[in-house]
Amino acid sequence: MEFTALVLLVVAPYFSALASPRDGCGQRFLVAPPGTSRIVGGREAPEGAWPWQVSIQIQSRHHCGGTIVSSLMVLTATHCFHKYMKISRSHFRVVAGLNLLSAPGNQTQIRSIREVQMHKDFNTATSDNDVTLVLLSSPFKFSDHIQPVCTPHNVTHEFILNFSHCFITGWGSSYYRGTLKNRLQEAQVELIDRRTCNLITWYGGIITENMICAGLESGASDSCQGDSGGPLQCYSEDEDRFYVVGVTSFGHMCGLRRRPGVYARTSRFAGWLNRSQTASASAAHRLNTRLISALLCAALIHQQ
Ligand code: 4AZ
């Protein structure tokens, strides 16, 4: 009987790691909900404001942003990886619970990468389908500083959520060809409909259905180099949660009038996200599952 209890104790965390990513997502415990005041341009993010934001690093240097969607998976941009596949995966790491790049605190957790799942239809010329899922070597332990974000179920769900406030976050530069910022930055943005964003005086037709523009017409709020792969996140007042609405993808330089940031539209990738998450999680857990089955069998035999 003691052996059975021991087996259950060992097995329980694996099942909780496999639990649906929508269980408790998009909530932050250290910062109040967004107010009604507008923020134009970037400002320093308070500690714990964006607990799903990660820094993807190469040889301990910030390379791209990313978003925690479950304890084992980080959503980022394909362009953060596809030119870097010759670099050994062991040189990459994913850092969560981070505010100051130069000074990871005791809230920080670091994981290596087990697998990179790039969207197979990523187009280098157009940046269409600029989404990648990174499978971690071991799960993040969620805390006040580390939490998963919610992901929209589909495009209709994205509309129904009726977002009141959207923000972009990252350690990227505050001007084109600038240097990285040490402290995580946040800026409030507006979602810009595709028709406007494709106007001849804006992006002139290069924005596909898999992309969403966000920023301000004036250009005063924008993402920039180093923010790539990170989240465009929106707050649902009804649900009191944040959803990742976009993945920072590209733009014509930074902060230019009528050249807002362009983001991979996550609601268009809900099916891909679910399939990739299930496939990767099951592959990663196949070995563990075998071990668990063996242990459970042993416990049953032991009981008889
Ligand atoms: C970049 O190079 C980049 N203004 C990211 C976002 C934007 C421009 C460039 C959007 O990573």
Side-chain angles (χ1 to χ4, degrees), residues 79 222-226 228 248-251 253-255 261-262:
H79 82 262
D222 198 9
S223 50
C224 202
Q225 293 159 309
S228 276
T248 308
S249 181
F250 73 96
M253 300 198 265
C254 313
V262 185

Side-chain angles (χ1 to χ4, degrees), residues 10 89 100 137 164 221 234 261 282 291:
V10 170
R89 231 181 292 155
L100 265 182
S137 54
S164 55
S221 246
C234 299
S282 62
L291 183 72

Side-chain angles (χ1 to χ4, degrees), residues 86-150:
K86 287 207 186 92
I87 300 175
S88 164
R89 231 181 292 155
S90 63
H91 290 131
F92 282 87
R93 64 181 200 174
V94 179
V95 187
L98 192 60
N99 190 256
L100 265 182
L101 269 187
S102 65
N106 51 6
Q107 315 290 345
T108 305
Q109 292 175 29
I110 301 174
R111 295 292 181 270
S112 49
I113 293 177
R114 178 172 294 195
E115 195 184 305
V116 177
Q117 291 213 338
M118 294 185 267
H119 196 291
K120 67 172 179 18
D121 299 322
F122 172 63
N123 186 322
T124 45
T126 62
S127 290
D128 202 17
N129 303 305
D130 197 3
V131 283
T132 278
L133 267 174
V134 171
L135 176 65
L136 307 172
S137 54
S138 61
F140 282 127
K141 290 179 200 75
F142 293 150
S143 66
D144 282 355
H145 287 80
I146 302 177
Q147 285 290 315
V149 78
C150 304

Side-chain angles (χ1 to χ4, degrees), residues 206-254:
I206 65 167
I207 308 303
T208 71
E209 287 182 349
N210 302 316
M211 301 173 185
I212 190 163
C213 297
L216 300 172
E217 183 171 359
S218 69
S221 246
D222 198 9
S223 50
C224 202
Q225 293 159 309
D227 291 322
S228 276
L232 157 65
Q233 56 245 300
C234 299
Y235 179 70
S236 159
E237 237 157 44
D238 297 349
E239 293 193 4
D240 184 28
R241 290 167 194 282
F242 280 92
Y243 279 80
V244 61
V245 169
V247 175
T248 308
S249 181
F250 73 96
H252 179 56
M253 300 198 265
C254 313

